[in-house]
């Protein structure tokens, strides 16, 4: 029996998506489609990305996906769309504590320390960006100037005041530099560096849009996220 189509609403930015074997046949014959075919043939996923403004205005349907190619393939970023029915399975980005195995000996203690700090305030860290993709694929993405991109997920018992202090301590690191987002709710996230900067408004990101929100409301939402 074929698997049920993946409901579009189940997906959030940064989710990993593996497509069904018949998906490439729906993508045409341009260079992007051929690169996606080769990527899929290796068993690698794509990632859910935000709908670009021009795509939305053009009435583009389907799930917006991306593939950041590794160093040996020129670091090109592929962007394409598929219908929800072509998604075979989806998953979250890997945990930071697992992806840490990919970093250099010079950085691994720092990355593990950051993971411990985030865990200590009641949150969970996931790796995305170069670190996440290197762990997922085994390809080379990291280089000496790479940021460590992390998604922070508040868990039950998350302390927002302690969390902001942890975010600020991580933002002060520069070897390596850390960046990323904190998850407020399903498919709602904000750059945690913005929360540390003391701005009155911060940019909240979803698959569909970007919107400026009051920073105090976002911090309250972050606290609520830890009590679901």
């Amino acid at each position: 029996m074929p698997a049920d189509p993946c409901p579009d609403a189940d997906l959030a930015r940064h989710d990993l998506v593996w497509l069904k074997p018949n998906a490439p046949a729906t993508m045409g014959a341009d260079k992007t489609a051929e690169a996606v075919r080769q990527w899929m043939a290796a068993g690698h996923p794509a990632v859910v990305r935000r709908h670009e403004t021009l795509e939305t205005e053009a009435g583009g349907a389907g799930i917006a996906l991306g593939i950041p190619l590794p160093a040996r393939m020129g670091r090109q970023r592929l962007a394409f769309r598929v219908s929800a029915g072509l998604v075979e399975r989806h998953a979250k980005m890997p945990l930071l504590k697992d992806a840490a195995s990919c970093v250099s000996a010079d950085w691994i203690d720092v990355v593990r320390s950051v993971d411990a700090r985030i865990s200590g305030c009641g949150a969970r860290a996931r790796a995305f960006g170069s670190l996440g993709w290197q762990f997922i694929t085994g390809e080379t993405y990291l280089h000496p100037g790479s940021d460590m991109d992390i998604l922070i997920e508040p868990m039950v018992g998350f302390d927002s005041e302690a969390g902001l202090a942890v975010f600020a301590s991580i933002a002060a690191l520069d070897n390596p530099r850390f960046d990323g987002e904190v998850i407020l709710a399903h498919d709602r996230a904000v750059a945690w560096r913005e929360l540390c900067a003391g701005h009155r408004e911060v940019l909240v990101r979803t698959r569909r849009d970007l919107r400026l929100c009051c920073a105090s409301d976002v911090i309250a939402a972050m606290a609520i996220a830890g009590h679901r």
Side-chain angles (χ1 to χ4, degrees):
M1 178 180 297
D4 292 334
C6 169
D8 186 285
D10 284 356
L11 298 173
R13 284 173 58 250
H14 304 301
D15 280 358
L16 298 171
V17 165
W18 286 261
L19 300 178
K20 293 179 179 178
N22 64 320
T26 72
M27 298 183 63
D30 64 12
K31 290 182 179 180
T32 294
E34 180 56 31
V36 172
R37 289 186 185 93
Q38 293 178 14
W39 187 255
M40 289 175 52
H44 300 323
V47 65
V48 178
R49 62 180 173 86
R50 186 172 64 84
H51 290 227
E52 299 296 336
T53 302
L54 290 177
E55 290 178 313
T56 302
E57 290 176 352
I63 299 167
L65 299 177
I67 295 172
L69 297 177
R72 70 176 180 86
M73 301 175 74
R75 299 189 186 277
Q76 181 185 0
R77 292 180 177 271
L78 307 179
F80 59 102
R81 306 171 74 90
V82 299
S83 68
L86 292 174
V87 174
E88 184 169 70
R89 62 188 176 96
H90 59 98
K92 298 297 183 184
M93 281 287 181
L95 295 173
L96 180 61
K97 65 181 180 182
D98 295 331
S101 62
C102 291
V103 305
S104 68
D106 292 341
W107 288 355
I108 193 164
D109 288 343
V110 178
V111 173
R112 286 173 173 166
S113 172
V114 164
D115 185 67
R117 292 186 215 181
I118 293 169
S119 178
C121 68
R124 177 169 55 199
R126 295 186 182 276
F128 69 111
S130 295
L131 176 57
W133 283 101
Q134 185 155 316
F135 178 78
I136 292 162
T137 66
E139 296 276 1
T140 299
Y141 286 84
L142 292 169
H143 57 82
S146 292
D147 285 355
M148 298 291 106
D149 293 316
I150 53 176
L151 293 173
I152 300 174
E153 300 176 338
M155 307 296 288
V156 174
F158 175 73
D159 183 329
S160 58
E161 185 174 345
L164 288 171
V166 166
F167 301 167
S169 73
I170 297 170
L173 299 172
D174 63 2
N175 188 29
R177 179 182 183 274
F178 287 80
D179 204 352
E181 299 178 358
V182 58
I183 306 301
L184 307 174
H186 177 68
D187 197 36
R188 293 185 70 233
V190 64
W192 47 263
R193 280 181 171 271
E194 289 188 30
L195 292 179
C196 299
H199 301 312
R200 292 183 63 184
E201 293 184 314
V202 293
L203 196 62
V204 174
R205 297 163 169 84
T206 75
R207 284 175 56 201
R208 302 289 180 180
D209 61 21
L210 302 169
R211 63 185 65 185
L212 281 173
C213 297
C214 175
S216 60
D217 291 343
V218 169
I219 291 170
M222 186 172 65
I224 292 170
H227 289 84
R228 276 195 287 272

